[in-house]
Amino acid sequence: MSSGLLTIDLGAVCANWRALDTVTRAETSAVVKADAYGLGMARVARALATAGARTFFVANAEEGAALRQALGPGPAINILSGHMPGDTDMIGDLELVPMLNSVDQMIRHVESLPGHSFGIQLDTGMNRLGMEPSEWSAVREIMLQMNPRLIMSHLACADEPDHPMNQHQLSVFKEMTDGLNTQKSLANTGGILLGREFDFELTRPGIGLYGGHPFDEAQSVVSLDIPVIQCRDLEPGESVGYGNSFIAERPTRIATIAAGYADGILRAISSGATLFANEIGCPLAGRVSMDMIGVDVTKLDEDPKSLRLLGAEQSVDDLADCAETIGYEILTSLGSRYTRRYIGI
Ligand SMILES: *Cc1c(COP(=O)(O)O)cnc(C)c1O
């Protein structure tokens, strides 16, 4: 086999969902947008539905349609981008619930699908999606008469527990929803970890389900093993890969493995990433190319058949640190060429 093997532990995804569900008093939904952060929306969502998740969030109606196909009738599928032009048939036919973000979206929704379920997204300071306080106070009474299913907002700084923005958004959200009986939701993964006053009636974890920061107690979900194509010996002074950026200082054994930036392995990890043969760390050598990476395997007793880039030895967040990015970007960059194996269910 010459493609990398991406192993996704659905048992760990479900355990992470249950662990986050246990800490709150609220219903726990599951955010499965962007193909469940790159791990495969249909497989992940079906596993979570079996574990007890009844409400799902996706980014847009197309993702919602694919999710309905995977889950069948029953579970609530909420659309974060709301009701966009062209979405009406999907929303209507597939029982999707748009989170309406503006008066324009509200008008589009009630004119095209009168009586169809919807939720409302409020902006409490992130300035990305949702109605601002002034817009909301203008339409609040009309919208409430139409029985929204959910009123939600999103935290901008939830992964920084001491950031004053968290308390600020909490108090704005409370003010904007004061006295309402509608189901409310504010917390993503980081929000769940901030404390019980962020619970409301529904939480919306994403990254924590997939083993990422800030849910640092999460079980590891993803491992990535990349086959070795060829090994060779270098004399001191010889170089590896584009730009000669690795130069051997001593006799060195280099393994060339079968994945590169076309598989979502960010080129920015070239300086500093490690690959693992069992538990032994071997430094990446030279630059990540499109389909290949050089690895210094000098310290191994024998040539490895494959090397591991992600797993218990090196988490998604460890690799993100090498590239000065976040675990979310590592996961959602995972390529389509890997052979995917689902375990744990
Ligand atoms: C992506 C997203 C989430 C999930 O956030 P995590 O940080 O991955 O837990 C929740 N709510 C909204 C509105 C989102 O866009």
Side-chain angles (χ1 to χ4, degrees):
M1 189 166 63
S2 66
S3 75
L5 176 64
L6 186 70
T7 305
I8 296 154
D9 187 342
L10 295 174
V13 173
C14 292
N16 293 334
W17 183 83
R18 279 192 214 96
L20 291 169
D21 186 44
T22 307
V23 271
T24 77
R25 291 170 277 122
E27 179 190 339
T28 304
S29 72
V31 179
V32 295
K33 64 192 179 194
D35 201 26
Y37 292 38
L39 301 187
M41 182 175 66
R43 298 296 300 261
V44 165
R46 280 201 292 260
L48 286 168
T50 310
R54 289 172 283 130
T55 303
F56 295 83
F57 285 86
V58 290
N60 59 38
E62 285 78 5
E63 291 183 349
L67 183 57
R68 180 61 76 207
Q69 186 88 25
L71 289 177
I77 299 178
N78 295 337
I79 311 296
L80 290 165
S81 59
H83 190 148
M84 298 279 284
D87 288 351
T88 303
D89 287 349
M90 281 183 282
I91 289 173
D93 296 348
L94 300 170
E95 279 298 315
L96 310 179
V97 184
M99 301 290 112
L100 303 179
N101 288 297
S102 63
V103 172
D104 283 351
Q105 289 200 345
M106 178 192 88
I107 294 169
R108 179 178 300 125
H109 187 71
V110 299
E111 286 185 349
S112 59
L113 293 172
H116 186 94
S117 290
F118 68 94
I120 299 166
Q121 182 150 211
L122 301 177
D123 177 40
T124 53
M126 190 174 186
N127 285 307
R128 190 176 70 167
L129 280 182
M131 296 193 204
E132 302 211 357
S134 58
E135 196 179 11
W136 173 231
S137 47
V139 294
R140 183 181 144 129
E141 291 316 314
I142 309 171
M143 289 192 83
L144 290 175
Q145 279 165 19
M146 297 186 287
N147 278 324
R149 273 230 217 155
L150 175 68
I151 301 185
M152 59 166 285
S153 186
H154 191 45
L155 296 166
C157 304
D159 55 348
E160 297 174 59
D162 298 326
H163 202 296
M165 186 68 168
N166 296 318
Q167 287 300 326
H168 172 71
Q169 288 190 269
L170 177 61
S171 65
V172 173
F173 188 60
K174 279 183 171 161
E175 252 167 61
M176 291 174 84
T177 59
D178 191 32
L180 303 184
N181 294 323
T182 314
Q183 189 185 43
K184 295 182 275 310
S185 177
L186 182 59
N188 61 343
T189 302
I192 294 172
L193 303 173
L194 289 176
R196 302 291 56 84
E197 74 263 41
F198 289 83
D199 283 354
F200 297 93
E201 290 81 43
L202 182 76
T203 63
R204 306 188 311 270
I207 192 75
L209 308 177
Y210 312 116
H213 179 75
F215 186 30
D216 296 330
E217 290 78 47
Q219 292 187 20
S220 163
V221 170
V222 184
S223 50
L224 176 58
D225 296 289
I226 304 167
V228 172
I229 308 173
Q230 189 182 18
C231 293
R232 74 185 66 244
D233 290 313
L234 269 62
E235 301 293 334
E238 288 193 284
S239 61
V240 175
Y242 288 119
N244 291 5
S245 64
F246 175 92
I247 297 182
E249 287 171 1
R250 61 185 82 79
T252 299
R253 185 128 181 108
I254 293 291
T256 300
I257 61 173
Y261 60 77
D263 301 290
I265 300 173
L266 305 179
R267 208 165 154 277
I269 70 163
S270 297
S271 55
T274 302
L275 287 102
F276 289 84
N278 298 317
E279 264 101 70
I280 304 169
C282 303
L284 196 153
R287 284 187 199 152
V288 173
S289 333
M290 187 183 291
D291 316 301
M292 277 161 280
I293 303 173
V295 184
D296 181 346
V297 295
T298 312
K299 70 165 83 142
L300 301 181
D301 293 334
E302 56 184 272
D303 290 341
K305 290 208 165 47
S306 68
L307 287 162
R308 175 167 278 200
L309 184 63
L310 288 171
E313 305 86 350
Q314 178 162 256
S315 71
V316 164
D317 292 297
D318 296 333
L319 195 62
D321 288 344
C322 291
E324 292 182 32
T325 182
I326 53 177
Y328 300 72
E329 192 180 10
I330 298 293
L331 285 176
T332 56
S333 302
L334 291 169
S336 57
R337 286 197 289 191
Y338 301 128
T339 301
R340 287 169 181 242
R341 183 169 61 126
Y342 291 89
I343 61 167
I345 208 137

